[in-house]
Amino acid sequence: MAENVEMDQKVYDELIAAGKSERIARSKAKAAAVRAKKEAAGEKLGPREATAEAPAPAAAAAAGGDAPAAGGGGVATAERATGTGGMTVEERQARVAAALAAKGDGAANGRGNGAATRYAGQDHTHRLLAMVPPDGIQQIRSKQEDKVYVWPHLIASEFIALMAVTLFITALSVLPAFPLRELANPNITPNPSKAPWYFLGLQELLRYFHPMIAGVTIPGIVGLLGLMMVPYMDRNPSVRPDNRKTAITLMTFFLLGAGMMTLVGSFFRGPGFNWVWPWVDGLFFEL
Amino acid sequence: MSRIPAPDELKKRVQDNVVWKSVFRPGSIYRKGYRDTSRDRALAAMNNVLYHLHPVKVKRHGLKLTYTYCLGGLSFFLFILLTVTGIFLMFFYRPTAGAGNELAYADMQRLVRVVTFGDLVRNMHRWAAHAMVFTVFMHMARVFYHGAYKPPREFNWVVGVILLLLTLLLAFTGYLLPWDQLALWAVAVGTSMAGFTPVFGQQVQFLLLGGVEIGPETLLRWYVLHVLALPFVITIFLAVHFWRIRKDGGISGPL
Ligand code: HEM
């Protein structure tokens, strides 16, 4: 498309005369032609690209100066910009001053919407790589919420929790809780042999199901996969307990079941993983 | 000899130089001092790498103990405690077993009998490990009952389940390391089930144990998993977990 756009010969000649390179002159002339065409068609134009050479003040002066009057609010054409290419320093300064004044005007009129107007008088300029449609911008809408500062409020409670748990763990650790047993010996199987407590629920399941069910299917499919899929299966948007009776019931069953199995495996299973009453036969549980 | 500078002047001298200013970023309360203003509260949170895991402000209801019960925070803190105590233990432990070369077991004996604070630190590591498994479970339950896994937090729940799995694996791999009867047989029971994985049972078990049954290779393998591989992976997932909490708009609720 860009290839067969006609160009504004006048702009082109001017730019070449001003010593611009062929390539720059051609592209600017094309842009000017497109703009002229669009303007004629009554289309609304976006902010004008900054020219490579003529810095914002100059462009803005041209644009800002007539912004309040012209319908195209703050759109400078390439043609105007080209006129500024060979300005002296004083001329530029004069234009900057004019632009600043015009900017004040524009703001007062509530018309500070054209990019050129808005940035008039600033001594740097952005070159836009692409136009971003308004709906392409991430909209961040946050409601006013009841918030408190992390420092000191949250940090303070966290510090207390941290101290409490450190004290708790240290206090427990002073007691001799984990005596070292005999050296590992694959030829002597202790009775009972129990997994660590967090797996005793599964070991308990082994009493009822084939190992493939108890050891692989239930922890793998029901446990891990099932849990991971919870948010995708429960599409109920409400978080109020009244509205989520099914979800809460199901999860409570799951958790109670897991808890019960773990408790039974931990405290109600003795030698041979057979049933014992802990208050009669003693504890067969090691951490 | 010049006089001894007054405290105020001393403070100014310490803080007003290039080194101090290079350490503390502009706006840091260690440069300008702290006054209890909104601005300084915000800066206090922003200019500290640890506090900065948090946003500057959080929802007021999230502070109530009965919302989070601090369970996620405690899980994380226990993880830190485990890392610190675990590094201490690593100084005294070699993961070697086998006839005539039972270094792991001998090191454990030395650790609890001879090494200063060895027994205490070992107990702390072990209690913290059990506690972490427990708090992670409870954290999951509290997240569920608050419906905190609902959009936009679905994926963070998934990350959470992975964290739960990693926590269990960390605890379980550590369980083998003392290389005593309790360790060996607990792990034997636990891993025997892996052999029943459909189709690949034998391979899965071989991969886990580094052999057909638990032996010195298993010890070395689980040691590397326990002290390096799994902590590395869980750290990555923790980073994602915390990052998502913030990107998802902070803590959920209020109910
Ligand atoms: C190593 C284990 C874990 C650590 C250290 C951890 C840490 C945290 C922390 C510090 C929070 C902030 C709120 C709070 O303290 O409750 C949090 C929130 C959350 N966690 Fe975890 N977590 C872990 C495991 C899990 C697990 C197992 C799940 C679920 C299966 C999970 C799901 C979530 C979700 C969905 C949130 C957002 C909750 C909300 O917005 O109210 N996390 N986690």
Side-chain angles (χ1 to χ4, degrees):
Chain A
M1 178 210 150
E3 280 317 303
N4 42 33
V5 176
E6 66 226 74
M7 65 184 192
D8 188 326
Q9 195 60 39
K10 190 168 147 263
V11 173
Y12 181 78
D13 293 342
E14 269 176 19
L15 282 166
I16 292 292
K20 294 283 176 302
S21 82
E22 220 272 306
R23 186 178 59 81
I24 289 179
R26 183 146 27 94
S27 58
K28 283 191 198 281
K30 278 184 184 171
V34 170
R35 281 182 175 271
K37 210 161 149 192
K38 284 200 180 163
E39 220 159 60
E43 266 184 69
K44 217 171 146 42
L45 298 178
R48 190 186 151 276
E49 258 191 32
T51 60
E53 282 293 287
D66 65 356
V75 175
T77 64
E79 200 172 346
R80 282 198 196 95
T82 55
T84 67
M87 275 194 305
T88 64
V89 178
E90 292 84 302
E91 273 172 338
R92 281 193 194 197
Q93 277 168 350
R95 287 194 179 225
V96 170
L100 284 173
K103 187 183 164 205
D105 262 25
N109 297 343
R111 297 202 67 254
N113 57 342
T117 314
R118 199 171 325 133
Y119 298 124
Q122 294 183 4
D123 58 354
H124 59 82
T125 163
H126 294 279
R127 171 171 272 264
L128 292 182
L129 287 179
M131 297 300 294
V132 181
D135 54 348
I137 298 169
Q138 210 173 26
Q139 299 281 324
I140 299 175
R141 278 192 216 99
S142 56
K143 283 174 262 115
Q144 192 69 37
E145 280 173 311
D146 188 12
K147 288 194 163 183
V148 292
Y149 281 100
V150 158
W151 170 274
H153 301 288
L154 182 57
I155 303 282
S157 4
E158 281 178 346
F159 183 74
I160 293 169
L162 188 153
M163 284 296 127
V165 77
T166 310
L167 278 180
F168 178 65
I169 298 276
T170 314
L172 279 178
S173 304
V174 175
L175 311 169
F178 309 114
L180 208 54
R181 286 351 107 90
E182 313 77 60
L183 174 67
N185 184 345
N187 302 316
I188 304 174
T189 311
N191 190 11
S193 283
K194 287 192 176 186
W197 64 269
Y198 34 83
F199 290 149
L200 283 180
L202 296 177
Q203 199 176 345
E204 176 65 17
L205 287 179
L206 271 177
R207 298 283 298 187
Y208 315 114
F209 300 106
H210 184 269
M212 201 167 100
I213 308 286
V216 181
T217 316
I218 293 184
I221 312 281
V222 181
L224 283 178
L225 270 183
L227 277 177
M228 281 196 202
M229 276 158 42
V230 161
Y232 306 99
M233 295 187 299
D234 175 10
R235 300 309 293 173
N236 168 6
S238 174
V239 294
R240 296 199 43 233
D242 298 348
N243 300 335
R244 351 179 8 230
K245 294 210 171 90
T246 324
I248 288 187
T249 313
L250 285 174
M251 188 61 162
T252 307
F253 263 108
F254 177 75
L255 290 178
L256 280 183
M260 288 242 301
M261 288 293 135
T262 308
L263 281 181
V264 170
S266 300
F267 302 120
F268 294 86
R269 292 292 179 183
F273 217 67
N274 291 316
W275 189 274
V276 295
W277 297 106
W279 48 89
V280 180
D281 311 283
L283 276 182
F284 295 90
F285 177 72
E286 284 165 308
L287 270 173
Chain B
M1 289 304 287
S2 60
R3 68 198 166 80
I4 299 161
D8 266 5
E9 198 190 328
L10 196 65
K11 189 172 158 208
K12 192 166 172 289
R13 272 199 215 164
V14 170
Q15 298 193 342
D16 201 14
N17 65 64
V18 278
V19 176
W20 189 272
K21 285 182 175 169
S22 73
V23 177
F24 298 102
R25 300 188 59 247
S28 163
I29 57 171
Y30 299 110
R31 275 205 195 181
K32 298 233 173 125
Y34 179 79
R35 280 168 307 131
D36 199 11
T37 59
S38 299
R39 184 185 140 84
D40 275 6
R41 288 178 170 201
L43 286 171
M46 280 190 291
N47 276 324
N48 180 307
V49 69
L50 279 179
Y51 300 172
H52 178 264
L53 287 176
H54 295 298
V56 164
K57 284 175 141 192
V58 290
K59 296 176 196 160
R60 187 188 295 277
H61 81 92
L63 280 187
K64 278 204 283 277
L65 184 62
T66 47
Y67 194 72
T68 65
Y69 295 96
C70 210
L71 284 165
L74 283 185
S75 309
F76 181 56
F77 179 62
L78 286 169
F79 178 69
I80 303 288
L81 191 64
L82 282 161
T83 309
V84 175
T85 51
I87 289 172
F88 177 88
L89 297 179
M90 277 181 78
F91 283 115
F92 307 103
Y93 178 87
R94 286 162 292 179
T96 310
N101 202 21
E102 298 285 5
L103 294 184
Y105 188 71
D107 284 351
M108 287 301 296
Q109 283 181 316
R110 258 173 49 80
L111 179 76
V112 297
R113 295 204 191 121
V114 183
V115 175
T116 312
F117 292 128
D119 196 29
L120 178 76
V121 177
R122 173 186 180 226
N123 288 352
M124 287 178 74
H125 193 74
R126 214 167 157 108
W127 277 122
H130 288 309
M132 183 176 166
V133 173
F134 184 74
T135 54
V136 172
F137 262 118
M138 297 309 279
H139 171 60
M140 182 182 80
R142 102 84 191 139
V143 168
F144 183 87
Y145 286 113
H146 285 160
Y149 56 83
K150 304 202 171 193
R153 300 186 174 79
E154 305 103 306
F155 183 66
N156 217 14
W157 169 273
V158 176
V159 173
V161 178
I162 296 170
L163 285 172
L164 172 67
L165 174 69
L166 289 167
T167 306
L168 288 174
L169 288 176
L170 271 163
F172 194 43
T173 48
Y175 213 84
L176 181 67
L177 303 186
W179 203 246
D180 62 357
Q181 279 290 73
L182 180 67
L184 178 74
W185 288 96
V187 169
V189 171
T191 51
S192 66
M193 287 185 244
F196 289 97
T197 310
V199 192
F200 303 110
Q202 296 306 306
Q203 286 88 336
V204 168
Q205 208 175 14
F206 194 90
L207 201 72
L208 269 178
L209 301 184
V212 285
E213 60 177 22
I214 301 179
E217 295 77 16
T218 321
L219 183 61
L220 179 59
R221 184 162 296 206
W222 285 36
Y223 173 77
V224 174
L225 285 172
H226 185 75
V227 305
L228 203 67
L230 290 170
F232 175 68
V233 177
I234 202 172
T235 304
I236 293 173
F237 278 93
L238 282 174
V240 176
H241 198 59
F242 296 159
W243 173 74
R244 273 305 289 247
I245 294 171
R246 291 192 56 173
K247 292 293 165 186
D248 294 339
I251 202 81
S252 64
L255 283 184

